[in-house]
Amino acid sequence: MGEPLRVERDGPVARVVMTRAEVHNAFDEELIPALAAAFAELGSDVGVRVVILAGEGRSFSAGADLEWMRRLGEASEAENREDARMLAAMLRTVTECPKPVVARVHGNAFGGGVGLVACADIAVVVEGARFGFTEVRLGLAPATIAPWVLGKIDAGHVLPLFLTGEWFDAEFAAKIGLVHGVVEADELDESVERVVQSLLAGGPVAQAAVKRLAHRISVTEPAIDEYTAEVIASLRTGEEGREGVRAFLEKRKPAWSPENQS
C-alpha cells in the first residue's frame, strides 16, 4: 500500500487527495498524521491561497478504518486517549488552516468523514452522496468530530442524527447547513472550480482574519479536544465498543440489537 494521500499544486491552489480508495479513504494511524502534516504545511505556505480536500475512489471518506478500530479496542485506554488526541489535533489543524478549505465530496462520508466535511469552510457535494454519524451503531460516539459538526449544524438536527446513526442524503445535508452546494456528478469539478475562483477574488489576509474571527466567536477552545479524546477512548476500550466493532466486522448484529433480545 502506498502513501495515504498526495498533495498537488496548481499555482495558488493546493489539492489534498486521500488515496486509500480500497478502504473508502478510512482513517488510520497513517492517514491522520499525514492530513495534519499536509494542512499544517499548506497553511504556512505563502504561495497557497486555497486548499481543496478530496478523496480517490468511490467515497470521500468512510470515517475510521474498522480493522484499526478493532486493534485500538484491544489497546489500553491511555493508548486510545493518545490516538484520539491525534485525531482531534488533525481536525483542529484542518479547521484552523488560515487558507480557505473546500471539500469536494462524493460517494459516502460517514463518521469521521463527515467530521472532515464539517471542518471545511465550504463543501460541494454530489447528488446521491450519503452521510451518517454511524458511531452509536458500533457502541461508540462521534466525540472528536462533535465540536466541528455542532459549528455547522444546530443541536436540534445533530442529536437525532447522532443518536440514531441513520444515513441522510446530500439534499438534507444542505438543508441543515453541513454542505453548501449539491450538484450532479458531471458538474462537481466545475462547481468546485467556481468556488475556488470566488475565493481567489478575496484578500488572503482578510480571509485568514475572517476564519480566526469565526473560530474565536464559536469558542471551540483546545481544551475540548482533551474531553472528546477521553470520551472516545473510554468507549473504544469498553465492552460495548469492542462488541460493536467485532459485530460489524463479523457481519452480524451486535448484542444490544432487538434481534438478539429474548
Side-chain angles (χ1 to χ4, degrees):
M1 196 176 298
E3 294 298 317
L5 61 76
R6 69 173 183 276
V7 177
E8 304 167 346
R9 288 284 300 272
D10 182 10
V13 180
R15 181 181 291 260
V16 178
V17 184
M18 296 175 283
T19 58
R20 304 190 75 227
E22 70 284 355
V23 289
H24 298 270
N25 298 311
F27 297 165
D28 69 354
E29 66 272 34
E30 293 185 355
L31 179 57
I32 292 171
L35 281 166
F39 275 89
E41 181 177 345
L42 294 171
S44 63
D45 188 331
V46 296
V48 173
R49 292 284 317 281
V50 178
V51 182
I52 299 170
L53 176 59
E56 283 188 344
R58 293 182 293 165
S59 297
F60 176 74
S61 174
D65 185 311
L66 268 297
E67 286 290 350
W68 173 60
M69 290 288 283
R70 177 156 62 178
R71 295 197 301 272
L72 287 171
E74 302 305 320
S76 69
E77 187 167 333
E79 290 171 312
N80 269 271
R81 190 178 298 113
E82 186 56 36
D83 176 85
R85 289 190 188 111
M86 179 176 65
L87 175 57
M90 180 273 284
L91 294 169
R92 183 171 292 277
T93 301
V94 174
T95 305
E96 297 185 351
C97 176
K99 314 302 170 69
V101 177
V102 181
R104 176 193 183 277
V105 185
H106 73 291
N108 297 330
F110 294 144
V114 192
L116 268 186
V117 174
C119 288
D121 301 305
I122 300 173
V124 182
V125 57
V126 166
E127 285 181 342
R130 298 182 303 174
F131 301 83
F133 302 103
T134 52
E135 289 88 346
V136 290
R137 299 192 176 190
L138 301 174
L140 304 173
T144 49
I145 66 173
W148 313 115
V149 172
L150 284 162
K152 291 287 177 67
I153 310 173
D154 66 76
H157 281 115
V158 165
L159 276 175
L161 296 173
F162 277 8
L163 289 169
T164 65
E166 291 180 345
W167 295 355
F168 53 100
D169 61 20
E171 287 72 21
F172 187 71
K175 179 181 178 181
I176 62 179
L178 176 65
V179 305
H180 307 89
V182 180
V183 300
E184 295 182 4
D186 60 359
E187 297 176 353
L188 179 58
D189 288 321
E190 181 182 345
S191 298
V192 169
E193 180 60 24
R194 282 199 298 270
V195 171
V196 168
Q197 291 306 313
S198 294
L199 290 168
L200 291 175
V205 174
Q207 288 170 335
V210 165
K211 291 194 65 170
R212 289 195 301 272
L213 175 66
H215 298 151
R216 182 71 176 269
I217 291 172
S218 67
V219 199
T220 48
E221 297 295 339
I224 196 66
D225 296 351
E226 185 63 25
Y227 170 67
T228 61
E230 289 178 2
V231 170
I232 193 60
S234 64
L235 288 171
R236 278 181 188 164
T237 54
E239 180 52 39
E240 184 174 282
R242 290 198 299 269
E243 162 62 9
V245 172
R246 284 196 302 265
F248 183 87
L249 291 169
E250 293 167 7
K251 296 181 170 50
R252 59 175 174 81
K253 297 291 185 181
W256 64 78
S257 282
E259 293 92 330
N260 291 330
Q261 305 302 311
S262 56

